[in-house]
Amino acid sequence: LVNQRTGGHINYRGEGLVRGHGDKPPFRAAAAGRGTRLHRVPIRADAHRQDAPPCERPPATFALRFVSSSTFLEVDDGDGTVVARSRECSDLPACLWDLEPQPPPFADWLAVRSRLTGLLLRMVDASHPPFSGWEGVAAKARQKRPHRLETERAAAAAALSPSGECPLREPAAAPAGWRYNCSAYSAQLREALLPWSSGGLSPTAIDMVFWNEMYPPANKAEQPSLHLSLAAGELTYAWQPADGLPGAAPPRNSSDAAALRGLRRASALVALPPVEVVAHSSRLPKVPAQNPEPVLSPVADA
């Protein structure tokens, strides 16, 4: 089966997966190959067709079997995706397809319609578009001036030294006879703050990663849920669910809400550095292997 617009073929990828792209990256519309070869198996649809008048000639109905796997092209009745798992197909609507002639100027082409859903088989482009200029967004990253870098490094060295004390906000203070010493976490803190130490990662770049329009509709689950900003001692955030636009608030029992509460408590006790953060709080992988994402900087789990 060849798509008229893209020239791509329906391709069997193994383990029942059917796609419109090839087997190796970079993934483009599949060319003809072993995984695209199909046998048309004629089916006497008129013998069991119940949805047409008895005198009306039914369209040509076929089952389509991949040569490489001997499995039939079918519609998963759970989510409507196209798969190839079954090795038998007789009168099951899930694996039956009507091949419908088309009017000019596409008289040489056929439309393929599922007998299960009544919907046409289409090739959908779910690839990430090339990002050229980010729709006119210009990154404004710049190196910090040497004097500022030296000042910040000296302050960090003092706070993280064995004799250093946590710079608590007033009126917060350690209990009598105690002092807060953060040197036990020096290595972890240095690693966590490393991406911001040289000024190479700008708020503009962070904004682009959180940009809803950057993610195609088929990849909405990949977008990060939290965009945090710590500036002038205040914590602000934007939150977006996988199936919606930014502007909502996370549920109280969610990990995102717990992270916000923890950061607010910490910010009330100690002066946190001014940073922009994009966080993806899900424990499960969100990015399919065929859709690589840009990585802007190293990260450390706190």
Side-chain angles (χ1 to χ4, degrees):
L1 290 178
V2 184
N3 181 266
Q4 190 271 340
R5 174 174 292 181
T6 67
H9 295 66
I10 292 290
N11 183 32
Y12 179 76
R13 294 287 310 279
E15 299 182 357
L17 292 176
V18 176
R19 296 290 185 267
H21 57 68
D23 298 328
K24 298 178 180 179
F27 293 107
R28 298 186 177 92
R34 185 171 182 273
T36 66
R37 296 177 57 194
L38 288 161
H39 278 155
R40 291 195 301 180
V41 182
I43 301 292
R44 286 201 57 204
D46 55 335
H48 57 269
R49 188 178 177 99
Q50 309 260 337
D51 55 351
C55 297
E56 180 179 318
R57 181 177 180 182
T61 301
F62 293 87
L64 302 171
R65 183 175 60 212
F66 283 100
V67 174
S68 60
S69 63
S70 298
T71 54
F72 287 89
L73 184 70
E74 59 185 306
V75 176
D76 187 321
D77 56 6
D79 59 10
T81 57
V82 180
V83 295
R85 303 189 187 113
S86 302
R87 293 185 176 274
E88 296 182 3
C89 177
S90 54
D91 58 353
L92 299 175
C95 61
L96 297 182
W97 305 88
D98 290 341
L99 305 186
E100 303 174 353
Q102 299 299 294
F106 303 108
D108 294 335
W109 296 86
L110 296 171
V112 182
R113 188 181 301 274
S114 167
R115 291 295 305 279
L116 176 68
T117 65
L119 301 177
L120 293 173
L121 178 64
R122 299 175 60 239
M123 181 175 288
V124 177
D125 183 4
S127 62
H128 284 204
F131 302 129
S132 56
W134 301 90
E135 301 293 336
V137 176
K140 299 178 181 179
R142 60 171 181 251
Q143 294 289 331
K144 292 181 180 179
R145 295 182 182 277
H147 174 71
R148 182 177 175 183
L149 274 177
E150 289 301 321
T151 302
E152 291 181 357
R153 285 171 180 160
L160 300 179
S161 67
S163 60
E165 295 187 7
C166 240
L168 296 177
R169 292 183 185 275
E170 296 183 355
W178 294 77
R179 66 185 181 91
Y180 291 118
N181 188 333
C182 52
S183 61
Y185 304 96
S186 297
Q188 185 177 359
L189 290 170
R190 285 195 181 96
E191 185 180 6
L193 297 177
L194 180 63
W196 293 274
S197 63
S198 64
L201 182 58
S202 72
T204 305
I206 293 290
D207 290 342
M208 288 190 289
V209 176
F210 194 73
W211 195 6
N212 183 275
E213 286 78 8
M214 190 181 107
Y215 300 87
N219 306 102
K220 288 301 182 186
E222 302 171 15
Q223 63 189 23
S225 54
L226 268 180
H227 181 186
L228 306 171
S229 176
L230 283 163
E234 294 187 7
L235 171 65
T236 57
Y237 75 92
W239 183 80
Q240 58 185 356
D243 56 352
L245 297 174
R252 284 189 57 82
N253 61 346
S254 67
S255 59
D256 287 333
L260 291 172
R261 290 193 293 269
L263 281 170
R264 286 197 177 100
R265 284 196 296 268
S267 183
L269 292 173
V270 66
L272 298 178
V275 293
E276 295 270 346
V277 180
V278 167
H280 208 318
S281 60
S282 174
R283 295 178 299 165
L284 302 177
K286 288 290 186 179
V287 183
Q290 66 265 31
N291 295 329
E293 299 290 350
V295 175
L296 300 182
S297 74
V299 296
D301 293 330

